[in-house]
């Protein structure tokens, strides 16, 4: 059988349902949900660089090859950027010929899989609403699926992100427009809100999500020592005081020693 592209094999549309739960200590049950998964980016994931979250080079940003582009229902206009998902082949629905049973892989959301309204959602329009779908980096997908299969039904659950080192902040833009990319976030992985404070002020100023994991401020902060306050999508707030030293330049990245837990 010749290799098939990620979006080229017809499957039955599955709904967004819970198919089993695991219980974490002192926490609500973690639901396993159904979706489908395809792959893109090549055997070395080189074509997954960039993406709709704005992380740029995923190797140097620390995300590597275990990443995925999410369909619209999961991507949530960028609010899911940085979230982590454990994914496994759906043993009840998958053809064992194309599925690697008994294994799972954890990926980080780094990109958006756009809908293709020219194709039916069960035959090429895999990321059309309301489908939950993961277009995974090929090396991650091949942990759970056989390359020639192209697309497989999967089970998934959102899980805490485990990251090495602290949160990273990359600053770009110009005077009166500071665009900050927030990377390498552990725990929830995704950021709900962000504030900035400069060395010449005692007040926090709210920042707005510009796109993906990029947040902007319209104040003139050029060269000033900066602090950031982040609240993740699970409600945890962490302050990164004086993380950006005075005299910084656009294009620089600053790594903190703090991390979400």
């Amino acid at each position: 059988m010749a290799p098939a592209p990620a979006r080229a094999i017809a499957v039955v549309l599955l709904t967004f349902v819970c198919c089993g739960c695991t219980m974490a200590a002192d926490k609500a049950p973690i639901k396993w949900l159904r979706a489908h998964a395809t792959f893109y980016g090549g055997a070395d994931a080189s074509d997954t660089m960039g993406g709709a979250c704005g992380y740029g080079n995923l190797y140097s940003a620390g995300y590597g090859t275990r990443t995925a582009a999410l369909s619209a229902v999961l991507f949530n206009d960028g609010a899911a950027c940085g979230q982590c998902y454990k994914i496994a082949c759906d043993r009840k629905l998958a053809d064992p010929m194309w599925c690697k049973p008994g294994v799972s892989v954890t990926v980080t959301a780094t990109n958006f899989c756009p809908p293709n309204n020219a194709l039916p959602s069960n035959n090429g329009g895999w990321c059309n609403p309301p489908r939950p779908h993961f277009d995974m980096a090929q090396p991650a997908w091949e942990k759970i699926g056989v390359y020639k299969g192209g697309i497989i039904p999967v089970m998934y659950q959102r899980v805490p992100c485990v990251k090495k080192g602290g949160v990273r902040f990359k600053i770009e833009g110009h005077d009166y427009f500071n665009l900050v990319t927030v990377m390498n976030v552990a725990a929830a992985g995704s950021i709900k809100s962000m504030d900035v404070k400069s060395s010449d002020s005692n007040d926090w100023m709210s920042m707005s999500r510009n796109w993906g994991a990029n947040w902007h401020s319209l104040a003139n902060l050029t060269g000033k020592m900066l602090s950031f306050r982040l609240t993740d999508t699970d409600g945890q707030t962490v302050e990164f005081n004086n993380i950006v030293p005075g005299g910084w330049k656009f294009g620089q990245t600053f790594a903190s020693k703090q991390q979400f837990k």
Side-chain angles (χ1 to χ4, degrees), residues 10-191:
V11 293
V12 178
L13 175 62
L14 296 177
T15 54
F16 193 67
V17 295
C18 176
C19 301
C21 302
T22 57
M23 179 71 77
D26 301 321
K27 293 184 179 181
I30 300 174
K31 296 180 179 180
W32 281 96
L33 303 169
R34 280 189 172 138
H36 279 88
T38 49
F39 62 85
Y40 79 115
D44 61 354
S46 58
D47 288 339
T48 66
M49 299 300 109
C53 289
Y55 295 129
N57 187 310
L58 299 179
Y59 301 145
S60 60
Y63 296 104
T65 63
R66 295 195 175 186
T67 63
L70 308 187
S71 62
V73 70
L74 296 174
F75 190 69
N76 193 22
D77 293 327
C81 285
Q83 291 181 359
C84 296
Y85 297 86
K86 180 184 288 187
I87 304 175
C89 224
D90 188 336
R91 298 180 65 182
K92 291 184 178 180
L93 298 176
D95 186 332
M97 183 177 183
W98 310 123
C99 187
K100 297 178 181 178
V103 294
S104 64
V105 63
T106 297
V107 298
T108 303
T110 59
N111 204 354
F112 173 54
C113 182
N116 184 350
N117 296 321
L119 295 174
S121 60
N122 65 346
N123 189 7
W126 313 124
C127 292
N128 293 351
R131 287 179 63 100
H133 189 92
F134 297 88
D135 200 13
M136 301 168 63
Q138 184 177 327
W141 191 91
E142 289 194 89
K143 296 290 184 182
I144 61 172
V146 177
Y147 177 81
K148 290 183 179 180
I151 180 169
I152 52 174
V154 296
M155 306 288 294
Y156 74 95
Q157 60 179 218
R158 188 180 160 202
V159 296
C161 296
V162 177
K163 302 297 180 185
K164 294 181 179 180
V167 177
R168 303 174 192 171
F169 304 86
K170 183 176 181 179
I171 308 180
E172 297 185 284
H174 51 78
D175 292 347
Y176 292 101
F177 181 78
N178 305 277
L179 188 69
V180 182
T181 309
V182 184
M183 301 175 286
N184 203 53
V185 179
S190 49
I191 299 302

Side-chain angles (χ1 to χ4, degrees), residues 195-236:
D195 305 304
V196 61
K197 182 170 63 175
S198 63
S199 53
D200 60 355
S201 174
N202 292 321
D203 299 323
W204 289 101
M205 296 179 289
S206 61
M207 302 181 71
S208 300
R209 187 189 303 277
N210 191 279
W211 61 281
N214 295 280
W215 297 76
H216 77 261
S217 167
L218 301 180
N220 187 355
L221 304 174
T222 305
K224 300 176 183 179
M225 182 180 291
L226 302 178
S227 301
F228 295 117
R229 181 171 65 187
L230 304 179
T231 299
D232 69 15
T233 48
D234 287 346
Q236 183 182 177

